[in-house]
């Protein structure tokens, strides 16, 4: 019998025995090694997604692990292969899919939210969701491939170009990853973040970070850009003040990329959009090319994944890890160790 971390009701998680399902046609059984806890997992934990999540459900979609068994008709994979999972299952028939946008399928199954996720010792998934990892990449670092793929997609949606000035509002894990990916694309980047711990970490990674509580961010942007304004702003904070800042720092024909999930409608300065001919772009999830690029960025050290991992806890301590993340403080990314890393990493 294996163990799994399940969401059962608002602010309630348990660690319970889970049935291992043999892989069917087109499926593989995985042994998850590490699973990251992300902001969406916290939304579920708070009960904010009860209308969508059918409790009890196993959480987790940021993962790394190894293939254990392959089902019938599965080719190209064998036990021991190091993998991560792109946790999307689309129907292939809706208007979004048929127009080439399967990652935002109108009937999307986001694995780990709409169906059982990775925070368990054995996990059966469609082979089509697997993304191969290089054997040299430690599995703890590989657990950050999924959020890095989010950042790759966001930077692509905003069409960040070399030499552009970029402001990232929100210096949590995804915000810092966006800043690093944008920097790798040749942009000059600033991060806006009220947490001292997160600002210091961003600065240790070579990024410039500003405190919106103590500094006039729009004025800093004006000085930095010679009164031109930023070319791109990413709203990653999820706060009303973050929206205001992201809009205000943009220059003429600047692009605002909305990344954060806002739980309620926000007021937006539409006059600013009119006056400066701004563009608003939504960014959600990723496609396979984003994932493959993310693997490369983590494997070659462009993304220093080990610096973003604040703590690793065993599967049985996952519920307390959610509470630690909720409390904030000196925490960036917490990984859950499912007990299946045999690499010694």
């Amino acid at each position: 019998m294996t163990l799994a971390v399940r969401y059962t009701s608002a602010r309630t998680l348990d660690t319970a025995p889970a049935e291992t399902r043999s892989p069917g046609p087109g499926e593989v059984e995985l042994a998850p090694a590490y699973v990251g806890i992300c902001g969406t997992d916290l939304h579920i934990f708070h009960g904010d997604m009860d209308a969508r999540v059918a409790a009890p459900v196993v959480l987790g979609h940021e993962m790394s692990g190894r293939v254990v068994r392959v089902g019938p008709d599965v080719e190209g994979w064998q036990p021991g292969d190091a993998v991560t999972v792109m946790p999307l299952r689309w129907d292939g028939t809706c208007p979004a899919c048929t127009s080439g946008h399967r990652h935002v399928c109108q009937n999307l199954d986001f694995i780990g939210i709409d169906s059982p996720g990775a925070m368990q010792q054995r996990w059966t998934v469609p082979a089509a969701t697997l993304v191969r990892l290089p054997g040299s990449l430690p599995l703890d670092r590989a657990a950050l491939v999924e959020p890095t793929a989010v950042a790759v997609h966001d930077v692509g949606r905003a069409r960040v170009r070399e030499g552009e000035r970029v402001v990232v509002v929100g210096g949590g894990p995804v915000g810092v990853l966006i800043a690093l990916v944008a920097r790798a694309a040749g942009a000059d980047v600033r991060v806006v973040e009220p947490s001292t711990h997160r600002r210091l970490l961003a600065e240790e990674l070579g990024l410039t970070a500003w405190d919106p509580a103590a500094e006039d961010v729009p004025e800093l942007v004006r000085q930095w850009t010679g009164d031109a304004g930023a070319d791109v702003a990413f709203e990653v904070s999820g706060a009303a003040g973050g929206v205001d800042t992201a809009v205000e720092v943009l220059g003429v024909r600047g692009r605002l990329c909305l990344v954060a999930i806002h739980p309620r409608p926000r007021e937006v300065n539409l006059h600013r959009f009119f006056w400066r001919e701004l563009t608003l772009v939504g960014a959600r999830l990723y496609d396979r090319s984003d994932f493959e690029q993310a693997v490369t960025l983590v494997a070659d050290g462009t993304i220093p994944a080990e610096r973003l991992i604040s703590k690793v806890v065993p599967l049985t301590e996952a519920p307390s890890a959610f509470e630690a993340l909720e409390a904030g403080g000196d925490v960036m990314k917490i990984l859950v160790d499912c007990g299946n890393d045999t690499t010694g990493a």
Side-chain angles (χ1 to χ4, degrees):
M1 187 69 72
T2 63
L3 292 178
V5 176
R6 306 183 307 168
Y7 169 76
T8 58
S9 62
R11 304 189 59 76
T12 305
L13 302 173
D14 68 14
T15 305
E19 182 179 347
T20 300
R21 182 172 66 83
S22 298
E27 294 182 327
V28 295
E29 180 185 333
L30 304 180
Y34 298 95
V35 182
I37 304 172
C38 84
T40 302
D41 296 321
L42 282 179
H43 282 304
I44 296 172
F45 175 64
H46 293 152
D48 296 337
M49 299 177 66
D50 281 358
R52 176 177 174 184
V53 174
V57 66
V58 180
L59 299 182
H61 56 271
E62 303 178 358
M63 66 79 63
S64 63
R66 294 188 182 277
V67 174
V68 175
R69 288 188 291 174
V70 300
D73 305 323
V74 172
E75 297 181 356
W77 299 102
Q78 60 185 9
D81 286 345
V83 298
T84 185
V85 166
M86 187 174 75
L88 308 181
R89 187 187 288 118
W90 45 75
D91 64 14
T93 61
C94 73
C97 287
T98 56
S99 63
H101 307 300
R102 299 181 301 180
H103 71 290
V104 287
C105 170
Q106 289 162 231
N107 301 297
L108 185 68
D109 173 6
F110 192 107
I111 305 173
I113 299 176
D114 304 308
S115 57
M119 213 169 285
Q120 54 185 314
Q121 293 176 314
R122 290 292 185 271
W123 189 34
T124 298
V125 298
T129 65
L130 299 187
V131 178
R132 193 177 300 278
L133 297 173
S136 60
L137 178 59
L139 291 179
D140 55 349
R141 301 181 191 182
L144 271 76
V145 165
E146 193 272 353
T148 300
V150 170
V152 170
H153 186 76
D154 297 340
V155 170
R157 282 287 288 155
R159 298 184 179 180
V160 172
R161 297 186 291 270
E162 184 174 359
E164 290 194 312
R165 294 184 174 96
V166 171
V167 176
V168 180
V169 182
V174 171
V176 168
L177 287 169
I178 289 171
L180 293 171
V181 173
R183 184 176 69 180
D188 191 3
V189 184
R190 301 292 184 270
V191 177
V192 179
E193 170 54 48
S195 163
T196 300
H197 172 74
R198 289 179 169 182
R199 281 199 315 278
L200 288 175
L201 177 58
E203 290 169 353
E204 289 172 5
L205 297 177
L207 299 164
T208 299
W210 293 329
D211 180 1
E215 300 173 285
D216 185 341
V217 172
E219 175 60 20
L220 290 172
V221 171
R222 190 190 69 78
Q223 295 174 12
W224 169 43
T225 64
D227 205 28
D231 300 292
V232 180
F234 292 90
E235 204 310 279
V236 202
S237 73
V243 175
D244 293 339
T245 298
V247 173
E248 192 169 354
V249 299
L250 286 170
V252 171
R253 292 205 167 182
R255 288 107 65 198
L256 170 58
C257 185
L258 180 62
V259 178
I261 299 174
H262 286 259
R264 60 186 61 86
R266 303 294 191 192
E267 290 189 4
V268 179
N269 185 353
L270 293 180
H271 183 268
R272 188 82 167 186
F273 273 78
F274 158 75
W275 199 250
R276 293 202 165 188
E277 290 197 344
L278 305 181
T279 298
L280 173 62
V281 176
R284 177 185 170 203
L285 301 175
Y286 30 63
D287 58 27
R288 180 163 287 271
S289 65
D290 297 322
F291 245 85
E292 291 169 349
Q293 184 178 346
V295 170
T296 298
L297 292 173
V298 174
D300 70 12
T302 300
I303 300 299
E306 70 283 2
R307 303 287 299 279
L308 300 178
I309 300 169
S310 303
K311 185 187 298 186
V312 180
V313 302
L315 192 70
T316 52
E317 294 181 18
S320 61
F322 275 74
E323 295 174 0
L325 271 177
E326 181 183 39
D330 297 347
V331 178
M332 183 65 83
K333 177 64 68 176
I334 296 180
L335 301 184
V336 174
D337 182 350
C338 295
N340 292 316
D341 185 358
T342 59
T343 65

